[in-house]
Each structure stands twice: as structure tokens, then as C-alpha cells.
Amino acid sequence: MKESSLKVYTNRTLCGGLSYENEQYVFNYKDDTSSLVSLTMPVRNSSWNSKKLHPIFEMNMPEGALKEAIKNHFAKIQNMDDINFLRLIGPYMLGRVKFNEIVDEKDILKLDDILNSSKTNLFEELMQKFAIRSGVSGVQPKLLLTAQNKTTMAFEHYIVKSWESSYPNLALNEYFCMRAVKNAGLETPEFYISEDLSMFIMKRFDVKEDNTYLAFEDMCVLTARATDEKYNGSYEELTRVIKDVINPQERKKSLKIFLTALIMNHLLRNGDGHLKNYGILYDKDYEDTRLAPIYDVITTTIYIKNDIPALKLGDGKLWWKDKTYRSFAKNSCGLSNTQYKEVLKTCIDAISKTKQEIDRYKCRDDKVKSFLNDLKDCWHDLI
């Protein structure tokens, strides 16, 4: 394979090759493969060509500071274009699609050691050790680790997040926002917060019991957008995607889940519910597609007072009124007015229950108490 080319694997099976030639990214399936890399790229004999890196291959590339740190570290050795970036981190990237070679996890941590560590710089230590292996998308500093669960003695995969000084208590913010989402009856990954409140730990939802992977595709991929276009589009567009790709048995349920998640983002004042924070899961193809669990929910207005929603709904990006949601529920989600009212009540009750959980939360740190009170003040009880 040429130096400008990469082998592409799905669940450890070679399925094709990606190359950059004539100012285009070119992906070709192997002649004998039946494993598709994306619902948007069915198996075929002709090439899949794109002027930009195909969204499914870009989906799990790190963003922001971590990506720049990796680029700067290796820039002296080789040109860090997209192909070479994938060559470097591709074997370790999150999910079933990997590049160039298959590697086994060698460093195993214990989940309890992460949660209960007394080290003040544990995340920095983990970053030094595992950064290159962390093919995890997003701007927030995060790592992809394999840890041993002391309760089950199983080796499981976790995403560990920390925060920068400009976003204090972000792990605590995400923890209680995810508690609210869970209280609304929405499926979430397992999640934890470290004892010192410095790290948010989330169990991956795409790893099967046999350590192979479910396919996961976010809405950037499914709307044929690059990562830097994650704030483009509308929530109406996402309902159209759900109708197109979710199997018929799950479709109506998925639209109700999506509406619930959208209203929870509104009440929690999460202005970061962009295209990469919604996705679908499947095992092989369209036959078993379903909405992925809800993840990456935080209250953004506690840091950015006048923040607005990430995507458009109706006339624009704003914290919408009841009338807009009622119309969206009917026209885009196919729900009755009674069903809409049920969703709204579920969400409002979830906010109330989570506020009570915060009130019962034991903490001696006055700054943390003050932050949690501010967090509750950001949340809304009504549309």
C-alpha cells in the first residue's frame, strides 16, 4: 500500500483502503468484503471520492487543544496532514473503524483507581501516557482508557474527561446534567464522577460483550457534514434523518426520545447539543439501527451567560417557547398534543427531582456549593 494510503478495518477485519490522490480522498472497498464503513457509504465496486476527508473517517479525530498538541509533537518528524494523523492515532481510535493496523490494549487500569485517586494531577499523568491512543472527538480534554471493573472483574472501555480552568467544575456540571437526563427516563451510558470532582468518567456504549464494536455514526456523518460544520443544520433535519435511517419498529419511539432530549437540553440550558452529540447505533446495517444513548449534556449558560442552542429550530437559534415545541412535536415527530404534554411533564419532573438530588449532595467545599446553587438557578422549570 502506498505511503499516502491507509488500510481500513471494521471490527478487526480489513474492509478497504483510504488514499489521498489528485487532491481527493479516495476510499475503495475490498472486492470480497461485505462490511460497510458507514450507512452513508454502502459497499460498491466504484470508489467513494471526496475533496474533504469522508465524515465517517473524521468523526472520531480529536479536536482543539489535544489535536494541536499531537500535531505539534510530531510535526518535526512528518507532515501532519489528515492521512498521517490517521496513520498515527488510527489504530487506537474509538469504535469499530480503525486504520492501518490492529493493536491490543496493553495498559489496564482499575476503575476504582481512577474514581478514588488522591493524586491532584492524575488526569495530566493519564494524558501523557494515553494521549496518542485517544481517538476521541471533541474539544474538551478527554481520554479513552481500558479499565478493570472491580465489581464484575471485566475489562471495560471508558472515556475520562477533565476540564480547563476557564470552565470550572465542568465534571460536576456534566454529572448532574446527566443525572437529570437519566431522571427523564432517557437511556444514558453508565457514568461516574471522581471523588475529587476533577474527572467525569463515562462507559462506552458501543462495545459488545465479546469486545467487538457496534457501529456508531453521529449526525455529522449522517448529514454528510465535516466536524467543523457541527453547528450547522436544524433539529427538524435530524428528525428527517431518524425517519430515514432508524428501522420502522424503533422510529416512533426514537422520535419521542429525541424530543425529550431536546426539551431536556432546553430546560438545562445546554447550548452545545450539536450534530456530534446525537447519533445512531447498529450492528451490521439498516436492519437494527436505533438511536444512541444520550451523552455530553452540560449547562453552558453557567459559563456563557447569553449562550443559545447549537442548532436551528423553526425560525432560528433561541430558547424557544411552548408553541414552537408543540408544533415540532406534531409536524416533525408525529406526536399528538397529549403525547407532547406527557413528554413536557416528564422533563419538568426530572429537573425538579435532580434539583432535590443536588440539595441532598454532601459537600464541604463552599465554592462547590455555590457552583451547584448557580447551576440550579440556570435550570428552568417551564418552557
Side-chain angles (χ1 to χ4, degrees), residues 41 96-97 109 112 133 145 224 236 284 289 350 369:
M41 296 167 64
R96 70 179 194 128
V97 178
L109 300 171
D112 282 357
R133 304 187 196 183
L145 303 175
E236 288 96 340
K284 294 180 180 178
T289 48
K369 288 181 182 178

Side-chain angles (χ1 to χ4, degrees), residues 4 14 24 65 96 103 105 107 109 157 159 176-177 184-185 189 231 256 263 318 332 353 367:
S4 60
L14 181 64
Q24 284 194 107
R96 70 179 194 128
V103 296
E105 294 284 352
D107 296 284
L109 300 171
H157 298 259
I159 295 172
F176 276 112
C177 284
Y231 293 105
K256 187 175 181 181
I263 291 177
L318 50 108
S332 294
K353 183 176 180 180
K367 288 184 178 179

